Structures are given as structure tokens and as C-alpha cells.
Amino acid sequence: GHEMKVAVITGVNSQDGIYLSKFLIDKGYRVIGTIRSYRLLDFTNFNYIGVKPNDILIEELDLMDMANIIRFLQKHQPDEVYNLAAQSSVSQSFEQSIGTFSFNTNSVNNLLESIKLTIPETRLYQASSSEMYGRSESLPIKISTPMNPISPYAISKMASYFMVKTYRESYNIFASNGVLFNHESPFRGNNFFTKKIINGAFAIKDGKQDFLEVGNLQIRRDFGYAKKYIEAMWKLLQQEKPMDIIICSGKSVLLRDVVEYVFERLNIDKNLIIEKKEFFRPNEIPDIYGDNSIAKKNLVWKYDLSFFQVLDILIDYEINKRS
């Protein structure tokens, strides 16, 4: 065996992958990150949180190619695999429904089968999503709440969730679903709501645009801070038994309040926020928030940030970046 634990993070260039790599390196792991293509690799955010190129090994891995995954697992013999790679934009999933479904499900199926065949004692973390619950009759969302996905992305995540459960129950594999609600950070992709709002607000402030066009602001979401959520991922894989668990802030916040908070912090006139019908999604969830009591109890995970505190972190980051 190896003294150093080995962890693999797929989709390591995502916000969660960047924070998780730092967290695991600090814990003394040997970390191997995978990306679809080296062309997508930008080390800026890794540098920002103190991950140097020689702290982490980054390899290309095509998760649609099972022979490739098996070779990769045999080579690295990881103790833990964090599967964060996905087509993760809900709005994009409406435009690319078949590609989203096929990548998001096949990648997980291939990993599960490869682990089963190659190193069955490896622990797998699957990045599941609150979107699986969709429009729910009852709030807060618990693991046992019936799923009612309403986007191709959500449907793909639901299929993967149950595949993980099936492999766990059929082959005794240590595979757990972390069901994360929206979580944000300075490293969030530019096509996500908070990032769009903050980028748009700064563009108005810098005189680059006159107003901000947004979709439906009369909906509520449960938002948290990515840097804290990745701790729960690690804690989930340290449990005695695999399990599925919800990671969330436990509260929902109105999108209009989020946008207005950003505009107030930057002293921008709130009349410059324009809701446009054509940006509304074909199918929308009016309100969703989760119950994080099990995560707090079983994982001994602490989370008490209000989303406005998280917005302050994001806004301060952008201000520092510009100074």
C-alpha cells in the first residue's frame, strides 16, 4: 500500500475542483486532477488559492472511454475519486439535451463499472444536484423527498444518483451521492447566475454597459459558499458507511434581493435591472431549499453563512482583482 492517500478529482478545473484540490493537498493527499483537454487548463485560480503546478498532477481523461478510465485507475490506484465532471449548466442543458444526458450519465456509469472491475475498494463521491428534486410539493428538501426533475440536466443527475445507489447496493461499492444546492465562489463559471450579476454590475460601474438584462427574479434559491461545501464532500467519504446526503444552507433567498444587494454595494441605480421574458427558462422552480441537519449531525459539518456574507466575499474578490 501507499502511505500517502491518493485522490482523483474529475473536472478539477471547476470551482469545486479547485477548492477541493487545495483542501486535499493541505490534508497530505497526493492529488490527481482530470480534465477533458489540456486546452481548457488555466492555472490562474489554482495559483490564487496557493496550489502550485507541482502540487498536483493534471491529466487528460475522457470519461466516455471506459478502457481509458480502467488504465487510469490501474496506474494511480486512488483511495478516493471525486466525480465533479459534468455539463452543469441548466440553461445549456435545454439547448444540448442529448449531449448533456449522454455525458452526465455515461461518465458516472463508466466510473462505477471501472471501479468495480479494477479497484473495488476505492471510494467514489458523486456530485449530485438539488435540481433532481425540481418542483417539489414539500419544502425543505430531504433525501427522501420524491424527485421531480424539470430540466435535461436534472434528469441526467437523477439517473446518475440512482446508478450510484444501485452499484452500492448490488456490488457493495463505497459510493456516495453529495446532493449539493447552489454554491458560489469567485471561481464560478461566467454562465452562472451570481457571476453573471456581479460581472454585469461591474460592467455598468466601468461604463461598459448601460443596464443589466436578467431572467425571472421572482424565484428563490438555496445558495451557499463552495469553499465550505467541498469540506462536506471529503467528510462524506470518511464515513464508516457510504450514504447520500444533502449539502445546503437551509434557507432560500429571492433572486431579486441578490441582484439588488450587489447593485447597492456598488452604488448602482436599481432601475438599471431589467427583467426580460425571453431569458425566462422553459420550465422553472419557484422556490427550493434543503434541510442540512443530517449533514451537520452525521458529517459534523458547520455552516452558518448568510448568502449576503457570501456575496460580500465575491464582490470583495472582484474589487481586489481590479485594484
Side-chain angles (χ1 to χ4, degrees), residues 51-78:
V51 175
K52 315 264 179 309
N54 54 355
D55 292 336
I56 184 172
L57 177 64
I58 295 184
E59 292 195 0
E60 285 186 339
L61 181 63
D62 178 3
L63 293 170
M64 298 296 259
D65 177 352
M66 196 159 118
N68 216 334
I69 298 174
I70 288 173
R71 264 200 310 277
F72 177 88
L73 292 176
Q74 280 168 336
K75 177 177 157 192
H76 294 296
Q77 301 285 316

Side-chain angles (χ1 to χ4, degrees), residues 2 45 53 85 99 104 110 128 143 198 206 227-228 242 250 257 267 298 303 315 319:
H2 38 250
N45 292 336
N104 289 358
N110 288 343
S128 289
I143 274 293
I198 289 171
D206 299 341
K227 189 180 178 183
K228 288 289 296 172
D257 292 343
N267 298 315
N298 289 28
Y303 191 83
I315 295 164
I319 290 170

Side-chain angles (χ1 to χ4, degrees), residues 112-151:
L112 285 162
E113 184 64 15
S114 302
I115 285 170
K116 180 189 128 197
L117 295 173
T118 315
I119 36 170
E121 61 288 346
T122 296
R123 297 185 168 200
L124 176 71
Y125 170 88
Q126 168 58 14
S128 289
S129 166
S130 58
E131 294 282 335
M132 304 183 302
Y133 292 96
R135 255 199 302 269
S136 179
E137 303 292 303
S138 64
L139 294 173
I141 302 289
K142 299 177 162 61
I143 274 293
S144 56
T145 302
M147 290 184 189
N148 182 22
I150 63 169
S151 69

